[in-house]
Amino acid sequence: ADLETPSQDQAEAEQRKRNKVTLCVEGNISAGKSTFLQKLLKSSVELRDIIEVVPEPVDKWQNIQDTNGGQPSNLLEAFYRNPERYAYTFQNYVFVTRLMQAKDSEDCAAPLRLLERSVFSDRMVFVRAVHEAKWLSEMELSIYDSWFDPVVSQLQGLVPDGFIYLAASPETCMRRMSARGRGEEGGVSLDYLANLHSKHEEWLRSGALRPEELQLLSDPSRNLTQLQPNGFVGNSASCYYSR
Ligand code: DCP
């Protein structure tokens, strides 16, 4: 009987999981996602108690451990140095590391989980942009597309309850990116940022989610409702979906 009846701890953990809200913070390179999340945590003790922030695993992309004990490699740097060669490898690894991180934070005690970016922006923004730049071949795009939906639909932990979009002009992002001076991003052009910007706008502002995405996000068991953009946090952010 013990095997069949979940303990009180297990039942509470399940209940916590069901009641947890997950939002993904989206925006262009250097839009200010990490700053926004850090400020939110510092803004009040009460907020800190209820929020679990899950930063983007950029450090994992910069430090690929060598399985033979050699020096770690930097995949982010390899991608920007030789995008035709590494765009697919990079986007593939971005997906896997995001998945691992989402799983690791799934059981956190906080009722509100804020993830920096999502597999949806990876696909709708970055994968599209690198394909348009001809850094991803037709075959590589088809491979990515062929596994994306089946994998995501098997992994409920990847589907958020909503998105917070931090909109910033490509010029602002360029200025902030140059000021930050992350070594790998030295060659990122204003044109590339402008393309990423328009892809974010198309995806999040026009509500142009793909039918499969809408289906995933409006799964009745997740109790989601589509909302109009509502200026959720400050004047440059919108929350598109909410319980
Ligand atoms: N990146 C990418 N493809 C993805 C995700 C990220 O090419 N699917 C790249 C873009 C950046 C780097 O990874 O060079 C880090 O991405 P972010 O824009 O998400 O992170 P930032 O640190 O720039 O965000 P912010 O400054 O808003 O905190």
Side-chain angles (χ1 to χ4, degrees), residues 29-30 32-34 56 80 91 117 122 180 182 185:
I29 302 178
S30 282
K33 298 177 290 295
S34 334
E56 197 168 39
Y80 280 123
Q91 293 305 329
R117 279 200 197 285
D122 292 337
R180 170 172 72 192
R182 188 185 273 153
E185 294 168 344

Side-chain angles (χ1 to χ4, degrees), residues 203-218:
W203 171 47
L204 289 165
R205 255 197 235 284
S206 69
L209 293 168
R210 295 170 312 118
E212 307 89 277
E213 242 179 310
L214 271 174
Q215 208 182 348
L216 282 169
L217 290 166
S218 56

Side-chain angles (χ1 to χ4, degrees), residues 25-38 56-58 61-62 76 79-80 87 90-92 94-95 98 116-119 121-123 125-127 130 135 144 166 173 176-177 180 182 184-185 188 192-193 196 200:
V25 177
E26 303 286 357
N28 208 343
I29 302 178
S30 282
K33 298 177 290 295
S34 334
T35 311
F36 166 75
L37 289 167
Q38 278 161 18
E56 197 168 39
V58 183
W61 310 339
Q62 291 170 313
L76 183 65
F79 160 63
Y80 280 123
F90 178 52
Q91 293 305 329
N92 188 271
V94 166
F95 184 94
R98 241 189 250 296
E116 195 177 345
R117 279 200 197 285
S118 63
V119 296
S121 50
D122 292 337
R123 184 187 206 187
V125 175
F126 285 93
V127 169
V130 293
W135 296 337
Y144 189 98
L166 300 183
C173 292
R176 291 181 184 160
M177 196 182 68
R180 170 172 72 192
R182 188 185 273 153
E184 297 88 344
E185 294 168 344
V188 175
Y192 186 59
L193 289 182
L196 296 177
H200 274 99

